[in-house]
Amino acid sequence: MTGQGALIVISGFSGAGKGTLVEKLIADSDRFSLSISMTTRSPREGETNGKEYFFVTKEEFQKKIEEDGFLEYAGYVGNYYGTPKAYVEGEIAKGHDVILEIEVQGALQIKDKYPNAILMFVTPPSVEELKKRLIGRGTENLESINKRLLRAKEESILMHKYDYIVVNDDIEDCKKSVISFIDAAKSTPERCSGFIKKLQNELEEL
Ligand code: 5GP
């Protein structure tokens, strides 16, 4: 391993199982740090401030924008979501791999600012399965489900901008694929530039 931390962006249709995937990635290893986003959406039952999200008012969110406190932010189905800058920059500086679980517009802002970020898009094997999962998880009303499906249609147009498409059929297989994609992506020369430089410097000193 080359010692450099990576910025890993995980997006996917609402209901694709990204939340479970990210939970598994975090639980099984201390390799990954998870960025906790700020949102103006209300907490769902069982969600705690500071764990799933930092739940804030529109005014607080706006203030953070004005302070240039976000790495990226975007609107999603009537609410705002953003990645606080300080935590992510701190973890990357420590050499940790940081996971951002964010939607497409935010992911593309990250790709612009950090070309070495690794972008993964998680999808169920079919739209029928997507609908089944959204209805089955029971956290959204019909209106919200329909909005999320409409949003999935828009997001599908931008899927080709990602580095990897991850089909979540079986969650354990999906997790294994994601880890192998991250390992492969971290080994490209662009992402190993610091390591290459170090080797060159050492060779120079021979
Ligand atoms: P949910 O309301 O289901 O928790 O999240 C809705 C969408 O917002 C999901 O696609 C999730 O990945 C995305 N999201 C969560 N946090 C952020 C963030 O900080 N920035 C952006 N751009 N999207 C986010």
Side-chain angles (χ1 to χ4, degrees), residues 10-14 18 35-39 41 44 47 53 70 72-77 79 81-84 101-107 109 137 140 148 155:
I10 299 189
S11 303
F13 303 132
S14 178
K18 339 180 260 300
S35 159
I36 313 234
S37 296
M38 225 173 234
T39 183
R41 130 162 124 57
R44 293 186 187 124
E47 286 183 335
Y53 286 105
F70 288 119
E72 61 70 39
Y73 67 92
Y76 182 93
V77 191
N79 287 299
Y81 296 79
T83 304
E101 193 223 305
I102 63 177
E103 55 68 66
V104 175
Q105 291 177 40
Q109 291 174 41
R137 77 180 183 185
E140 312 302 319
R148 282 165 188 260
E155 289 180 340

Side-chain angles (χ1 to χ4, degrees), residues 69-174:
F70 288 119
L71 220 50
E72 61 70 39
Y73 67 92
Y76 182 93
V77 191
N79 287 299
Y80 287 103
Y81 296 79
T83 304
K85 218 183 230 181
Y87 174 79
V88 176
E89 289 185 344
E91 291 300 295
I92 293 278
K94 284 185 221 160
H96 296 167
D97 289 347
V98 184
I99 298 180
L100 312 185
E101 193 223 305
I102 63 177
E103 55 68 66
V104 175
Q105 291 177 40
L108 297 180
Q109 291 174 41
I110 294 287
K111 193 174 179 171
D112 267 355
K113 283 194 206 159
Y114 301 89
N116 279 342
I118 303 164
L119 269 63
M120 318 229 181
F121 195 97
V122 185
T123 173
S126 67
V127 172
E128 198 189 333
E129 179 63 24
L130 177 64
K131 265 171 138 174
K132 215 162 85 187
R133 289 186 196 173
L134 266 177
I135 295 166
R137 77 180 183 185
T139 53
E140 312 302 319
N141 59 31
L142 195 63
E143 190 195 347
S144 173
I145 290 174
N146 284 332
K147 279 189 188 162
R148 282 165 188 260
L149 286 171
L150 213 65
R151 178 67 177 225
K153 190 174 166 185
E154 291 164 13
E155 289 180 340
S156 70
I157 296 166
L158 296 167
M159 279 170 80
H160 68 279
K161 295 197 179 270
Y162 279 70
D163 298 309
Y164 297 92
I165 303 298
V166 184
V167 177
N168 179 14
D169 198 354
D170 173 86
I171 188 72
E172 289 303 327
D173 289 347
C174 177

Side-chain angles (χ1 to χ4, degrees), residues 40-92:
T40 60
R41 130 162 124 57
S42 311
R44 293 186 187 124
E45 215 178 300
E47 286 183 335
T48 326
N49 190 33
K51 186 165 174 265
E52 288 81 7
Y53 286 105
F54 295 107
F55 295 99
V56 297
T57 60
K58 285 209 164 88
E59 290 71 28
E60 287 168 317
F61 197 95
Q62 185 61 38
K63 189 161 168 269
K64 189 93 172 165
I65 296 175
E66 283 158 18
E67 290 166 352
D68 192 27
F70 288 119
L71 220 50
E72 61 70 39
Y73 67 92
Y76 182 93
V77 191
N79 287 299
Y80 287 103
Y81 296 79
T83 304
K85 218 183 230 181
Y87 174 79
V88 176
E89 289 185 344
E91 291 300 295
I92 293 278

Side-chain angles (χ1 to χ4, degrees), residues 17-36:
K18 339 180 260 300
T20 315
L21 169 67
V22 168
E23 258 172 40
K24 284 190 173 286
L25 288 169
I26 300 291
D28 287 6
S29 117
D30 51 14
R31 162 174 181 186
F32 301 112
S33 306
L34 177 65
S35 159
I36 313 234

